[in-house]
Amino acid sequence: MKTSSLKLKTFAEYKKAYKKSVENPEKFWGKIAEEFTWQKKWDNTLSYNFSIPEVKWFEGGKLNITENCLDRHLENIGNKTAIIWEPNDPDEESRHITYRQLYVKVCRFANVLKSNGIKKGDRVCIYMPMIPELAIAMLACARIGAVHSIVFAGFSSSAIASRINDAECKMLITANEVYRGTKRINLKSICDEALKKTPTIENVIVYRRTVEPTEMTAGRDKFWFDELQKVNQDCDAEVMDAEDLLFILYTSGSTGKPKGMVHTTGGYMVGATYSFSNVFQMNDENDVYWCTADIGWITGHSYIIYGPLCAGVTTVMFEGIPNYPDYGRFWEICDKLKVTHFYTAPTAIRSLAKQPIAFVNKHKLSTLKVLGSVGEPINEEAWHWYNDNIGKGNCPIVDTWWQTETGAIMISPLAGITPTRPTFATLPLPGVQPALMNEHGEEITNIHEKAEGRLAIKFPWPSMARTVWGDHQRYKEVYFSAYPNMYFTGDGAYRDATGNYRITGRVDDVVIVSGHNLGTAPIENAMNEHEGVAESAVVGFPHDVKGNALYAFVILYPGVEATDELKKEIRDLVSSTIGAIAKPDVIQFVKGVPKTRSGKIMRRILRKIASKDTSNLGDTSTLLNPEIIQEIIDGAL
Ligand code: WT7
């Protein structure tokens, strides 16, 4: 984007833009889209029907997102650093990759993909640590029109396999090992386990992050470096229609298997870049932006790679963790790399806030200008700690609300422009039309009165997911069935009398643990696979660092002994089926769980028991087995 032209500068400008975006959304987004590089302009800015549902933006437009992330910058900022990579080990050297170098690396690796048979539309699974090659692999896919499906490198082999199989990926790109704090994890062996169950994978490209010996399967596995030697660095960008797929990214649902959210090229690019530029307000060419998320999540897709690179800024990728070698690592990196814009999650803020303040005060933090938060509601205490100790009271905090499904930030202050208020994500971005819904399913339209309800969006925005891969019906049921002609977010929200939103959290069976979106059903399914487990129910309960933690109520088969060893087995099973992030924090063995007459588990009551808030359990008259409640409370941990 011609960086300055559509960046809002004042609150009055924001209000004007917002008004325009509602009055004539097509004209509004069309003007923004014109700032990008298109091989051919679109014929039709928007067509949509939320009851099918179908949404198309910039139809007929031809482009390639990598021309916008890379080629377009070569002339003016080719020598500017695109990516600064900070390794896990502070003694290993950082890497600075300019836009021109990144362009060459992406084109070259794109040729590796091609020479291994990958074509436009093929799906490629990427399971990699936070190293520049992850960015190169994803951009190389986009360069040739292959659809990347990035799986967070903390997921288990069965989670990889099910995602690969769902998307029928032809290739897997991984690294031999990954460093995380003091640990070295063998990613390749996790992949090998997954690859036993993935018939569609033809080739595996392995980047060597360490010099350790790596087991390779002949004919299938190839080293990244060896493949690079066989190709040149010229690779024209594939011509993509605006609605051609850019990527699939899996997110947990409240029921069933993870949903592969499908994002398309043109709208996603416009939405990610417009929001990035306006929310973060990187106004100086020397500004350095650092988002601490992993690229395996949507935050990393939109706000480490696509948004920042399209905007031509310097973006930091960090391989490590916040507490290695000590709890000051984030702040050390901010000083070392002169970070000006810092974006992290409340769970990280809370865990760092628990440590002695000396870990912060050892560092100057004098380059910081803007702080961001994402992933879950930020509580008041964490907000103030962040504001006072990291921002030193003079960095605006942007509390950005959005979702994997929305592709881009939806409700957030614009840094330095929108008045902030602790715990409030504040106002919708231009082009975003939220609706607060009451318990009767009606929109609460009076924006001058405080209200609480469920959050929906009543008009399409360019970066919204277009479908669930392979299951359009599910897309319709989950997002477009709660309210006619609206997208339902799954979140509850409060709105104050000036129109500011505070997101209160999920209203479905998704629990956000340390910023990770986890469905309770898949965790229950994993536990039920244990031969001793008859049934289980998982709920979230408040946790002072993780935001929420997981509490599992487990019913054993008769004769099975309730031991700590068994708890460990169950937790390990969840870890190997889904990943360590999904392990329940508490397991309570129970004789039964409260159920309605129709056999539905009354999670509302279990949530209260898990939260140690049993003074008022509400109406229990419809229960089949009310007597079980006291028994569970008595045994609660
Ligand atoms: C869910 C989406 C968006 C990228 C990371 C998570 C919660 C996200 C906030 C915020 C309150 C938030 C919502 C949302 N959430 N940001 N600033 N304030 N809640 O993406 O894994 O798709 O999760 O995260 O509950 O629905 P995701």
Side-chain angles (χ1 to χ4, degrees):
M1 199 157 67
K2 284 178 225 152
T3 26
S4 53
S5 51
L6 285 163
K7 211 187 277 172
L8 304 163
K9 289 274 160 266
T10 63
F11 197 48
E13 276 179 31
Y14 158 75
K15 285 196 278 196
K16 211 167 124 195
Y18 189 80
K19 192 159 169 275
K20 279 190 183 166
S21 78
V22 173
E23 284 166 2
N24 193 338
E26 295 188 37
K27 189 168 164 208
F28 172 80
W29 285 113
K31 260 187 92 173
I32 292 165
E34 276 169 16
E35 301 293 315
F36 293 80
T37 299
W38 297 79
Q39 296 160 356
K40 173 184 167 288
K41 199 184 162 173
W42 55 95
D43 307 312
N44 191 16
T45 307
L46 168 67
S47 64
Y48 82 103
N49 179 336
F50 273 180
S51 54
I52 299 178
E54 182 178 76
V55 177
K56 291 180 175 170
W57 283 93
F58 313 116
E59 219 184 336
K62 304 288 182 195
L63 76 159
N64 188 294
I65 195 167
T66 68
E67 290 189 320
N68 286 274
C69 291
L70 301 170
D71 308 45
R72 192 171 43 137
H73 299 317
L74 296 181
E75 195 183 324
N76 296 323
I77 54 167
N79 295 327
K80 177 172 176 170
T81 302
I83 295 177
I84 308 179
W85 176 70
E86 175 67 20
N88 177 65
D89 178 351
D91 295 331
E92 190 179 337
E93 233 168 280
S94 323
R95 284 168 66 184
H96 291 247
I97 303 173
T98 66
Y99 274 94
R100 186 174 307 282
Q101 290 166 333
L102 185 60
Y103 165 80
V104 170
K105 286 175 189 292
V106 167
C107 287
R108 190 151 180 185
F109 192 69
N111 285 335
V112 169
L113 297 178
K114 279 194 201 166
S115 68
N116 280 280
I118 300 298
K119 299 180 304 299
K120 178 177 179 180
D122 288 342
R123 276 82 57 206
V124 173
C125 179
I126 304 178
Y127 183 74
M128 284 183 106
M130 286 287 286
I131 53 178
E133 286 68 26
L134 166 54
I136 292 164
M138 70 197 282
L139 291 165
C141 287
R143 186 80 180 170
I144 65 166
V147 178
H148 58 71
S149 169
I150 303 182
V151 176
F152 169 61
F155 275 122
S156 68
S157 56
S158 50
I160 307 170
S162 66
R163 284 161 176 77
I164 286 178
N165 291 336
D166 185 69
E168 299 180 282
C169 296
K170 262 176 88 171
M171 176 186 272
L172 171 63
I173 306 173
T174 189
N176 64 334
E177 296 194 309
V178 42
Y179 292 114
R180 217 172 263 146
T182 53
K183 291 193 210 143
R184 207 178 68 213
I185 300 155
N186 191 324
L187 283 190
K188 177 62 168 50
S189 67
I190 299 172
C191 289
D192 283 340
E193 198 50 41
L195 286 160
K196 289 180 185 162
K197 296 171 275 186
T198 54
T200 55
I201 296 286
E202 293 169 4
N203 289 298
V204 181
I205 309 282
V206 183
Y207 180 80
R208 263 187 187 283
R209 173 68 184 99
T210 68
V211 294
E212 299 302 314
T214 302
E215 231 174 89
M216 300 290 274
T217 299
R220 183 194 70 185
D221 303 351
K222 299 164 182 180
F223 282 117
W224 174 292
F225 185 74
D226 295 345
E227 291 306 290
L228 280 185
Q229 309 313 310
K230 303 178 190 164
V231 297
N232 68 26
Q233 60 184 53
D234 305 317
C235 179
D236 285 342
E238 182 72 37
V239 180
M240 303 292 282
D241 190 274
E243 283 298 333
D244 281 341
L245 268 60
L246 177 63
F247 65 84
I248 301 171
L249 183 60
Y250 286 84
T251 186
S252 313
S254 50
T255 54
K257 55 181 192 174
K259 298 169 289 203
M261 303 313 305
V262 170
H263 283 284
T264 57
T265 307
Y268 174 80
M269 172 183 77
V270 170
T273 312
Y274 178 76
S275 56
F276 174 76
S277 298
N278 279 291
V279 168
F280 290 99
Q281 297 283 326
M282 295 187 62
N283 296 325
D284 185 313
E285 61 179 313
N286 296 318
D287 282 350
V288 173
Y289 165 87
W290 179 20
C291 166
T292 69
D294 192 286
I295 290 176
W297 312 114
I298 191 70
T299 309
H301 283 59
S302 301
Y303 300 115
I304 296 179
I305 300 298
Y306 288 117
L309 295 181
C310 280
V313 308
T314 300
T315 176
V316 175
M317 267 180 89
F318 174 44
E319 184 186 38
I321 52 176
N323 57 354
Y324 178 77
D326 66 36
Y327 281 96
R329 186 70 192 279
F330 274 6
W331 322 127
E332 183 221 317
I333 296 173
C334 284
D335 278 6
K336 173 177 165 191
L337 304 180
K338 302 191 168 51
V339 172
T340 54
H341 293 66
F342 179 75
Y343 191 25
T344 196
T347 183
I349 298 168
R350 286 189 299 261
S351 75
L352 296 172
K354 285 201 141 187
Q355 306 305 321
I357 198 67
F359 283 119
V360 176
N361 291 343
K362 260 200 291 199
H363 308 282
K364 292 218 287 286
L365 298 178
S366 57
T367 52
L368 288 174
K369 298 179 187 172
V370 171
L371 302 176
S373 169
V374 62
E376 60 186 309
I378 178 166
N379 50 306
E380 184 115 23
E381 210 183 332
W383 195 98
H384 285 294
W385 186 87
Y386 199 27
N387 184 57
D388 300 348
N389 295 292
I390 308 304
K392 316 288 181 199
N394 57 28
C395 298
I397 295 179
V398 290
D399 176 2
T400 63
W401 173 82
W402 58 297
Q403 310 177 296
T404 304
E405 295 86 338
T406 68
I409 295 169
M410 301 290 277
I411 302 181
S412 169
L414 310 184
I417 293 174
T418 311
T420 58
R421 182 173 169 194
T423 77
F424 281 75
T426 72
L427 300 170
L429 260 61
V432 175
Q433 300 189 33
L436 201 54
M437 311 302 288
N438 69 18
E439 65 274 30
H440 310 298
E442 299 148 353
E443 185 182 351
I444 308 168
T445 50
N446 182 354
I447 58 157
H448 303 295
E449 223 167 68
K450 294 185 205 168
E452 198 160 354
R454 295 181 170 211
L455 186 65
I457 315 283
K458 57 184 176 181
F459 196 84
W461 62 100
S463 62
M464 67 190 291
R466 301 295 195 261
T467 187
V468 171
W469 175 264
D471 198 349
H472 197 63
Q473 187 57 28
R474 190 166 177 206
Y475 176 69
K476 178 173 181 165
E477 273 160 24
V478 175
Y479 304 105
F480 296 91
S481 311
Y483 309 112
N485 283 315
M486 288 191 193
Y487 166 89
F488 176 48
T489 64
D491 281 329
Y494 164 84
R495 190 170 61 207
D496 72 9
T498 49
N500 284 301
Y501 287 87
R502 167 201 277 155
I503 311 302
T504 48
R506 302 292 307 188
V507 294
D508 54 12
D509 290 324
V510 170
V511 184
I512 302 196
V513 180
S514 299
H516 300 313
N517 201 329
L518 297 170
T520 53
I523 301 174
E524 291 164 6
N525 293 341
M527 295 198 295
N528 297 349
E529 288 295 309
H530 191 286
E531 57 184 13
V533 173
E535 199 182 348
S536 60
V538 172
V539 296
F541 68 98
H543 184 279
D544 62 353
V545 172
K546 301 180 186 189
N548 294 292
L550 296 169
Y551 197 119
F553 299 88
V554 174
I555 305 168
L556 298 174
Y557 281 117
V560 177
E561 216 185 318
T563 60
D564 284 346
E565 181 53 33
L566 181 57
K567 284 188 184 175
K568 185 173 176 301
E569 281 174 31
I570 295 172
R571 296 178 84 233
D572 288 347
L573 185 58
V574 173
S575 182
S576 64
T577 315
I578 302 171
I581 49 176
K583 273 201 238 179
D585 299 82
V586 181
I587 293 180
Q588 180 182 354
F589 292 123
V590 294
K591 296 254 166 53
V593 289
K595 286 193 178 172
T596 62
R597 280 169 210 282
S598 60
K600 260 189 101 178
I601 299 173
M602 271 269 214
R603 287 163 196 284
R604 180 173 60 74
I605 291 173
L606 294 178
R607 260 182 233 124
K608 290 211 156 191
I609 297 175
S611 314
K612 308 241 178 301
D613 167 26
T614 49
S615 53
N616 175 13
L617 291 176
D619 182 15
T620 55
S621 63
T622 58
L623 287 183
L624 196 64
N625 53 348
E627 71 288 346
I628 198 74
I629 295 177
Q630 196 54 47
E631 216 180 300
I632 301 179
I633 294 176
D634 292 343
L637 302 164

